[in-house]
Amino acid sequence: MTKLLLSLHVLASILAVGPITVAASMFPRYAKPPTPGDDGPHDHDLRTAAFLHKICRGYAVVGIAVPVLGLATGAQMGVLGDAWLMASIVLTTIAAALLMSMVLPGQRELLEEGAGEGPAGTGAGEDLAGTGAGSGALTVAERRSAAVRLAMTTGMFNLLWATVVVLMIVRPGSTTGA
C-alpha cells in the first residue's frame, strides 16, 4: 500500500503542481503591457495570460490531492513526526497560502485591469478573466510594476516547491533510508 500511495503522491505532484509552476511563471510575461512608445516585438497577450490563469486555478484545485496523498503516505510509512516531513508540511502550507492569497489574485487583478485597455490588448473591454471587464484604473507603469511583483511572488512559490521536492528526496535525519 505504501508504494501505491507514494506513487500516487509523486504523480499528483508532477501532474498538478508542475503545470501550476510553469503556467504561473509564464503569466507575468504575457500580462505585462509593453512600454509606452515601444513599437518592437513584445509578448503582451491577454488571451494567453487568461489561459495561463485558468490553468493555475484549475490545477490548484487538483493540487489538493498532493498533500492529502502525502499525509496518507507519511502515515503509512510511520514518519509523520519526522522533522523533514514536518518542514515539508509547513513549506507546502506556505506555498498554498502564497498561491491562494497572492499569485491567483494578482493574476486576476492584472487580467481585470488589462481587459479594458482597448486595441493594444486583445479586445476593448473583453471579459478575459471571467470576472467582468477591467476598470483600467492602473496606469501602464503600475501594471508593469504589478507584473514584476507577481513574477517575484511566483518565483518564491516555485522555490518553496523546489525545497519541498529536495526534502522529499533527501529526507534529512530519516531512519527509513533514502
Side-chain angles (χ1 to χ4, degrees), residues 62-114:
V62 175
I64 294 169
V66 176
V68 170
L69 289 166
L71 288 171
T73 304
Q76 186 74 25
M77 293 173 65
V79 295
L80 285 180
D82 286 9
W84 64 271
L85 188 59
M86 301 288 264
S88 295
I89 291 169
V90 168
L91 293 176
T92 298
T93 303
I94 294 169
L98 199 60
L99 178 67
M100 301 309 287
S101 69
M102 297 182 76
V103 174
L104 293 177
Q107 290 177 348
R108 188 172 41 254
E109 180 181 322
L110 280 170
L111 287 172
E112 289 171 354
E113 289 294 332

Side-chain angles (χ1 to χ4, degrees), residues 26-34 40-46 48-49:
M26 292 174 62
F27 179 90
R29 175 180 183 180
Y30 291 100
K32 183 171 66 172
H42 53 80
D43 294 324
H44 184 63
D45 180 355
L46 290 178
T48 302

Side-chain angles (χ1 to χ4, degrees), residues 124-160:
E126 236 177 294
D127 181 12
L128 296 172
T131 57
S135 65
L138 295 178
T139 66
V140 170
E142 290 170 331
R143 287 192 0 246
R144 288 180 60 80
S145 178
V148 169
R149 282 191 309 278
L150 180 60
M152 180 193 66
T153 304
T154 300
M156 292 175 0
F157 169 79
N158 292 343
L159 184 60
L160 286 167

